[in-house]
Amino acid sequence: MSELSLAYIFHEQQLLVDENFQLPEVEKLEDDLDFIPGDQIIARDLLDIDAIPEGLHLVPIRQLISLWSRSQFEQASRAVQLLEWRRNHKFCSHCGHETEVHPLEYAMICPTCRYRQYPRVQPCVITIITRGEDEILLAQSVRNKGKMYGLIAGFVEVGETLEDAVRRETLEEVGLHLKNIRYLASQPWPFPSNLMLAFHAEYESGDIKLQEEEISDARFFRFDKLPEIPFKGSIAHSMIMHVLHGTPIIEY
């Protein structure tokens, strides 16, 4: 009997787990992705035609953030991002020829022109903005249909420093100028393949002016009168708890 491997089996952003949110053990297939060298751990795409085994069900990966440890979630994050990279680079972006999986490294290589396509990470800045000793800025995205307020965040543009991205995103989304920008921490964020880079900044000047296509509401809240905030396990939650209570960033 073949040795079983612990399997991250994904259908897009959903992961196959048992009733206790644990991963299944399966026999390894030829197309499975070995993404942790030396360990019996694989990643696999669940196709639409594949049946879901009895006792297992699909769970959105977001739901597991608050249920799993940091290392478990980071492994799942790595697995889903590598699967998406492999799925999206089946053809060479230079000449259009079908690519092959490199045997020794994470690269899709073209057998014709030898161009290699590696996994890419999209850097995003997320910023907690304080005013005075007891206020933080929280904003509500137009895409959020609930009552949750979060932090200002956005993608880093080409040729831009991280600090410049913090300034630009804040100015664009809420019309404010910042000072004393400082780095806090980072978190892999597989939606689809981002790296969240956390910053703390202080309000300097300006009145709140919303970028209406992105932000439905934004205001400064007192520490003791916060609205609904992002869930535990997200870097946004850790940042808010860090400012409010001095707890370490990403304490999980």
PDB file of all heavy atoms in Angstrom, residues 61-75:
ATOM      1  N   ILE A  61     -11.469  29.189   2.621  1.00  0.00           N
ATOM      2  CA  ILE A  61     -10.211  29.312   3.354  1.00  0.00           C
ATOM      3  C   ILE A  61     -10.256  30.461   4.358  1.00  0.00           C
ATOM      4  O   ILE A  61      -9.617  30.406   5.413  1.00  0.00           O
ATOM      5  CB  ILE A  61      -9.020  29.456   2.377  1.00  0.00           C
ATOM      6  CG1 ILE A  61      -7.691  29.375   3.133  1.00  0.00           C
ATOM      7  CG2 ILE A  61      -9.123  30.708   1.571  1.00  0.00           C
ATOM      8  CD1 ILE A  61      -6.485  29.365   2.229  1.00  0.00           C
ATOM      9  N   ARG A  62     -11.043  31.496   4.072  1.00  0.00           N
ATOM     10  CA  ARG A  62     -11.181  32.612   5.018  1.00  0.00           C
ATOM     11  C   ARG A  62     -11.709  32.128   6.372  1.00  0.00           C
ATOM     12  O   ARG A  62     -11.334  32.657   7.417  1.00  0.00           O
ATOM     13  CB  ARG A  62     -12.137  33.666   4.454  1.00  0.00           C
ATOM     14  CG  ARG A  62     -11.549  34.524   3.362  1.00  0.00           C
ATOM     15  CD  ARG A  62     -12.577  35.543   2.894  1.00  0.00           C
ATOM     16  NE  ARG A  62     -12.078  36.351   1.794  1.00  0.00           N
ATOM     17  CZ  ARG A  62     -11.424  37.489   1.927  1.00  0.00           C
ATOM     18  NH1 ARG A  62     -11.173  37.954   3.143  1.00  0.00           N
ATOM     19  NH2 ARG A  62     -11.022  38.166   0.874  1.00  0.00           N
ATOM     20  N   GLN A  63     -12.604  31.143   6.340  1.00  0.00           N
ATOM     21  CA  GLN A  63     -13.202  30.638   7.581  1.00  0.00           C
ATOM     22  C   GLN A  63     -12.170  29.966   8.480  1.00  0.00           C
ATOM     23  O   GLN A  63     -12.314  29.924   9.703  1.00  0.00           O
ATOM     24  CB  GLN A  63     -14.322  29.651   7.236  1.00  0.00           C
ATOM     25  CG  GLN A  63     -15.108  29.131   8.434  1.00  0.00           C
ATOM     26  CD  GLN A  63     -16.228  28.200   8.015  1.00  0.00           C
ATOM     27  OE1 GLN A  63     -16.769  28.312   6.902  1.00  0.00           O
ATOM     28  NE2 GLN A  63     -16.594  27.278   8.887  1.00  0.00           N
ATOM     29  N   LEU A  64     -11.091  29.453   7.864  1.00  0.00           N
ATOM     30  CA  LEU A  64     -10.088  28.718   8.631  1.00  0.00           C
ATOM     31  C   LEU A  64      -9.085  29.631   9.329  1.00  0.00           C
ATOM     32  O   LEU A  64      -8.349  29.184  10.202  1.00  0.00           O
ATOM     33  CB  LEU A  64      -9.345  27.750   7.705  1.00  0.00           C
ATOM     34  CG  LEU A  64     -10.221  26.680   7.051  1.00  0.00           C
ATOM     35  CD1 LEU A  64      -9.436  25.929   5.988  1.00  0.00           C
ATOM     36  CD2 LEU A  64     -10.760  25.710   8.101  1.00  0.00           C
ATOM     37  N   ILE A  65      -9.062  30.914   8.961  1.00  0.00           N
ATOM     38  CA  ILE A  65      -8.096  31.830   9.555  1.00  0.00           C
ATOM     39  C   ILE A  65      -8.241  31.879  11.069  1.00  0.00           C
ATOM     40  O   ILE A  65      -7.260  31.875  11.814  1.00  0.00           O
ATOM     41  CB  ILE A  65      -8.241  33.238   8.950  1.00  0.00           C
ATOM     42  CG1 ILE A  65      -7.925  33.214   7.463  1.00  0.00           C
ATOM     43  CG2 ILE A  65      -7.328  34.229   9.670  1.00  0.00           C
ATOM     44  CD1 ILE A  65      -8.210  34.518   6.757  1.00  0.00           C
ATOM     45  N   SER A  66      -9.482  31.923  11.547  1.00  0.00           N
ATOM     46  CA  SER A  66      -9.712  32.031  12.987  1.00  0.00           C
ATOM     47  C   SER A  66      -9.739  30.666  13.676  1.00  0.00           C
ATOM     48  O   SER A  66      -9.783  30.607  14.909  1.00  0.00           O
ATOM     49  CB  SER A  66     -11.035  32.766  13.246  1.00  0.00           C
ATOM     50  OG  SER A  66     -12.119  32.093  12.628  1.00  0.00           O
ATOM     51  N   LEU A  67      -9.705  29.572  12.913  1.00  0.00           N
ATOM     52  CA  LEU A  67      -9.783  28.233  13.498  1.00  0.00           C
ATOM     53  C   LEU A  67      -8.433  27.539  13.568  1.00  0.00           C
ATOM     54  O   LEU A  67      -8.209  26.690  14.431  1.00  0.00           O
ATOM     55  CB  LEU A  67     -10.745  27.360  12.679  1.00  0.00           C
ATOM     56  CG  LEU A  67     -12.207  27.821  12.617  1.00  0.00           C
ATOM     57  CD1 LEU A  67     -12.983  26.946  11.635  1.00  0.00           C
ATOM     58  CD2 LEU A  67     -12.845  27.780  13.999  1.00  0.00           C
ATOM     59  N   TRP A  68      -7.518  27.904  12.672  1.00  0.00           N
ATOM     60  CA  TRP A  68      -6.218  27.255  12.586  1.00  0.00           C
ATOM     61  C   TRP A  68      -5.127  28.103  13.216  1.00  0.00           C
ATOM     62  O   TRP A  68      -5.300  29.309  13.441  1.00  0.00           O
ATOM     63  CB  TRP A  68      -5.869  27.020  11.122  1.00  0.00           C
ATOM     64  CG  TRP A  68      -6.534  25.816  10.516  1.00  0.00           C
ATOM     65  CD1 TRP A  68      -7.450  24.998  11.104  1.00  0.00           C
ATOM     66  CD2 TRP A  68      -6.321  25.303   9.201  1.00  0.00           C
ATOM     67  NE1 TRP A  68      -7.829  24.016  10.243  1.00  0.00           N
ATOM     68  CE2 TRP A  68      -7.153  24.173   9.073  1.00  0.00           C
ATOM     69  CE3 TRP A  68      -5.523  25.679   8.133  1.00  0.00           C
ATOM     70  CZ2 TRP A  68      -7.192  23.422   7.907  1.00  0.00           C
ATOM     71  CZ3 TRP A  68      -5.562  24.935   6.970  1.00  0.00           C
ATOM     72  CH2 TRP A  68      -6.390  23.813   6.860  1.00  0.00           C
ATOM     73  N   SER A  69      -3.988  27.461  13.472  1.00  0.00           N
ATOM     74  CA  SER A  69      -2.825  28.187  13.954  1.00  0.00           C
ATOM     75  C   SER A  69      -2.221  28.998  12.807  1.00  0.00           C
ATOM     76  O   SER A  69      -2.562  28.803  11.637  1.00  0.00           O
ATOM     77  CB  SER A  69      -1.774  27.219  14.492  1.00  0.00           C
ATOM     78  OG  SER A  69      -1.219  26.452  13.417  1.00  0.00           O
ATOM     79  N   ARG A  70      -1.304  29.879  13.158  1.00  0.00           N
ATOM     80  CA  ARG A  70      -0.635  30.691  12.146  1.00  0.00           C
ATOM     81  C   ARG A  70       0.084  29.814  11.129  1.00  0.00           C
ATOM     82  O   ARG A  70      -0.007  30.036   9.922  1.00  0.00           O
ATOM     83  CB  ARG A  70       0.353  31.647  12.813  1.00  0.00           C
ATOM     84  CG  ARG A  70       1.177  32.472  11.833  1.00  0.00           C
ATOM     85  CD  ARG A  70       2.131  33.395  12.561  1.00  0.00           C
ATOM     86  NE  ARG A  70       2.957  34.145  11.622  1.00  0.00           N
ATOM     87  CZ  ARG A  70       3.857  35.040  11.977  1.00  0.00           C
ATOM     88  NH1 ARG A  70       4.059  35.306  13.251  1.00  0.00           N
ATOM     89  NH2 ARG A  70       4.567  35.676  11.067  1.00  0.00           N
ATOM     90  N   SER A  71       0.820  28.798  11.601  1.00  0.00           N
ATOM     91  CA  SER A  71       1.589  27.947  10.682  1.00  0.00           C
ATOM     92  C   SER A  71       0.668  27.145   9.769  1.00  0.00           C
ATOM     93  O   SER A  71       0.971  26.961   8.584  1.00  0.00           O
ATOM     94  CB  SER A  71       2.506  27.009  11.467  1.00  0.00           C
ATOM     95  OG  SER A  71       1.759  26.155  12.313  1.00  0.00           O
ATOM     96  N   GLN A  72      -0.471  26.669  10.293  1.00  0.00           N
ATOM     97  CA  GLN A  72      -1.414  25.930   9.455  1.00  0.00           C
ATOM     98  C   GLN A  72      -1.966  26.810   8.343  1.00  0.00           C
ATOM     99  O   GLN A  72      -2.044  26.394   7.181  1.00  0.00           O
ATOM    100  CB  GLN A  72      -2.572  25.402  10.305  1.00  0.00           C
ATOM    101  CG  GLN A  72      -2.247  24.189  11.156  1.00  0.00           C
ATOM    102  CD  GLN A  72      -3.446  23.771  11.978  1.00  0.00           C
ATOM    103  OE1 GLN A  72      -3.994  24.549  12.762  1.00  0.00           O
ATOM    104  NE2 GLN A  72      -3.886  22.543  11.794  1.00  0.00           N
ATOM    105  N   PHE A  73      -2.363  28.029   8.706  1.00  0.00           N
ATOM    106  CA  PHE A  73      -2.930  28.919   7.693  1.00  0.00           C
ATOM    107  C   PHE A  73      -1.885  29.317   6.661  1.00  0.00           C
ATOM    108  O   PHE A  73      -2.174  29.413   5.469  1.00  0.00           O
ATOM    109  CB  PHE A  73      -3.542  30.156   8.340  1.00  0.00           C
ATOM    110  CG  PHE A  73      -4.081  31.129   7.326  1.00  0.00           C
ATOM    111  CD1 PHE A  73      -5.241  30.843   6.621  1.00  0.00           C
ATOM    112  CD2 PHE A  73      -3.412  32.311   7.047  1.00  0.00           C
ATOM    113  CE1 PHE A  73      -5.728  31.714   5.666  1.00  0.00           C
ATOM    114  CE2 PHE A  73      -3.891  33.194   6.090  1.00  0.00           C
ATOM    115  CZ  PHE A  73      -5.058  32.896   5.406  1.00  0.00           C
ATOM    116  N   GLU A  74      -0.653  29.538   7.098  1.00  0.00           N
ATOM    117  CA  GLU A  74       0.394  29.936   6.155  1.00  0.00           C
ATOM    118  C   GLU A  74       0.722  28.803   5.180  1.00  0.00           C
ATOM    119  O   GLU A  74       1.035  29.045   4.017  1.00  0.00           O
ATOM    120  CB  GLU A  74       1.634  30.403   6.914  1.00  0.00           C
ATOM    121  CG  GLU A  74       1.437  31.765   7.566  1.00  0.00           C
ATOM    122  CD  GLU A  74       2.677  32.278   8.277  1.00  0.00           C
ATOM    123  OE1 GLU A  74       3.657  31.505   8.405  1.00  0.00           O
ATOM    124  OE2 GLU A  74       2.672  33.446   8.700  1.00  0.00           O
ATOM    125  N   GLN A  75       0.663  27.548   5.656  1.00  0.00           N
ATOM    126  CA  GLN A  75       0.849  26.415   4.745  1.00  0.00           C
ATOM    127  C   GLN A  75      -0.272  26.372   3.714  1.00  0.00           C
ATOM    128  O   GLN A  75      -0.028  26.166   2.518  1.00  0.00           O
ATOM    129  CB  GLN A  75       0.883  25.100   5.525  1.00  0.00           C
ATOM    130  CG  GLN A  75       2.226  24.764   6.124  1.00  0.00           C
ATOM    131  CD  GLN A  75       2.301  23.321   6.609  1.00  0.00           C
ATOM    132  OE1 GLN A  75       1.352  22.560   6.459  1.00  0.00           O
ATOM    133  NE2 GLN A  75       3.415  22.954   7.188  1.00  0.00           N
TER     134      GLN A  75
END
